[in-house]
Amino acid sequence: MLKIEGLSKEYEGNVVLDKIDLEVKKGDVIGIIGPSGTGKSTLLRTINLLEKPEEGKILLDDISLEFPLKSADRKKVFELRSRTGMVFQRFNLLKHKTALQNVMEGLITVQRKSKEEAEKLALEALAQVGVAKWRNHYPKHLSGGQQQRVAIARTLVMRPDVILLDEPTSSLDPELISEVLKVIKEIADKGYTMLLVSHEMNFIRKVSNRVLFLDGGHIVEDGSPQEVFNYPKHKRTIQFFQKMDILANHEIETKQRQVI
């Protein structure tokens, strides 16, 4: 479905992604974890082309893009973006539009749907994430959790092939995190293909069928939640879990000399 080959990204000479290879199957829910500043968010933003890689390939079904891009690739870029949906850390809602209008926006401006059809679809999406009764509220009158659920509805209503979630709970108060995680779990259970960057380790364990651990712009661990959390192979992964006090298999601590 989605394939990434040799994807690299630099910022002012600092390598953030270093020849990343990744294949995502339809229906995969991939949790992406690792220390801050190791390329997790950048990986999502390059898939959606909010950031342009210096080299590599992105293939999504019949769309194939090779970097650096050429002017002739403009149509392919639009197609890729239209088939990937992004949920940001800070919601990115239009402040001067209601929840309903925010969800309708892409349907009208990108998919050219009529106002009547856009409103019907937007109401369904808001109901799906449990915020339909706040449809006429502006972002400033919504809690952080409600705003993020509107942002998720805005993504869902476009029916993307892949949903990219970049730390969707990092801007929320602790008591609001669970309501957003509940919605994400419900979406995952419906078979959506998702890549999720998060520091919510217990949630990553529950919602993902596959976990990636990134460090220094590389994927150093790739496996099922049980494999990565209970039996990590890489020394850097073990160190990370030890610091977070979530290393499930404590026998690993005595075998670090055997790891990569």
Side-chain angles (χ1 to χ4, degrees), residues 19-77:
K19 299 188 182 302
I20 293 284
D21 293 322
L22 176 63
E23 191 162 355
V24 180
K25 297 177 181 177
K26 186 175 178 62
D28 271 349
V29 178
I30 299 179
I32 303 173
I33 62 174
S36 297
T38 56
K40 304 185 299 298
S41 294
T42 302
L43 177 59
L44 296 191
R45 293 175 68 86
T46 53
I47 292 172
N48 194 241
L49 297 184
L50 293 173
E51 304 283 355
K52 302 293 197 311
E54 276 75 40
E55 61 178 299
K57 291 183 180 179
I58 296 178
L59 302 97
L60 178 60
D61 294 332
D62 57 335
I63 302 170
S64 177
L65 283 167
E66 187 168 356
F67 304 94
L69 293 173
K70 303 175 183 66
S71 57
D73 293 327
R74 189 173 301 173
K75 184 178 178 182
K76 290 182 180 180
V77 169

Side-chain angles (χ1 to χ4, degrees), residues 1 18 45 65 72 78-79 110 120 134-135 143 149 177 193 204 210 214 216 225 234 244:
M1 181 190 188
D18 190 6
R45 293 175 68 86
L65 283 167
F78 177 80
E79 290 175 358
V110 178
K120 178 178 179 292
W134 291 287
R135 59 186 177 274
S143 70
R149 284 187 283 163
I177 289 174
T193 304
I204 290 288
R210 184 176 164 197
L214 262 65
H234 199 284
M244 298 190 72

Side-chain angles (χ1 to χ4, degrees), residues 119-259:
E119 183 172 339
K120 178 178 179 292
L121 293 171
L123 284 171
E124 290 172 357
L126 288 169
Q128 185 177 348
V129 299
V131 289
K133 67 180 180 180
W134 291 287
R135 59 186 177 274
N136 294 321
H137 286 59
Y138 289 91
K140 67 180 180 181
H141 298 135
L142 298 172
S143 70
Q146 290 165 344
Q147 289 186 63
Q148 191 60 290
R149 284 187 283 163
V150 171
I152 293 171
R154 178 184 58 189
T155 296
L156 290 177
V157 81
M158 302 297 285
R159 299 187 178 179
D161 295 328
V162 181
I163 298 177
L164 310 167
L165 300 105
D166 183 16
E167 293 283 5
T169 60
S170 66
S171 297
L172 302 179
D173 294 333
E175 62 183 10
L176 300 176
I177 289 174
S178 61
E179 68 184 52
V180 173
L181 295 181
K182 179 176 180 289
V183 167
I184 295 172
K185 179 68 165 63
E186 289 170 353
I187 295 168
D189 289 344
K190 290 181 178 178
Y192 283 91
T193 304
M194 302 168 60
L195 280 78
L196 168 66
V197 170
S198 179
H199 290 293
E200 299 288 336
M201 296 298 154
N202 287 333
F203 183 68
I204 290 288
R205 284 183 197 240
K206 293 175 183 176
V207 76
S208 307
N209 68 298
R210 184 176 164 197
V211 177
L212 308 179
F213 183 89
L214 262 65
D215 185 62
H218 298 91
I219 298 173
V220 299
E221 204 91 44
D222 182 355
S224 69
Q226 176 156 349
E227 288 169 339
V228 173
F229 284 102
N230 292 8
Y231 303 99
K233 299 174 183 177
H234 199 284
K235 180 169 64 175
R236 186 66 186 92
T237 317
I238 294 171
Q239 291 171 343
F240 179 78
F241 287 159
Q242 284 176 331
K243 287 181 179 179
M244 298 190 72
D245 197 27
I246 57 171
L247 191 62
N249 187 352
H250 293 289
E251 292 182 5
I252 294 176
E253 296 182 38
T254 64
K255 300 178 182 179
Q256 288 192 37
R257 65 182 180 276
Q258 300 176 5
V259 299

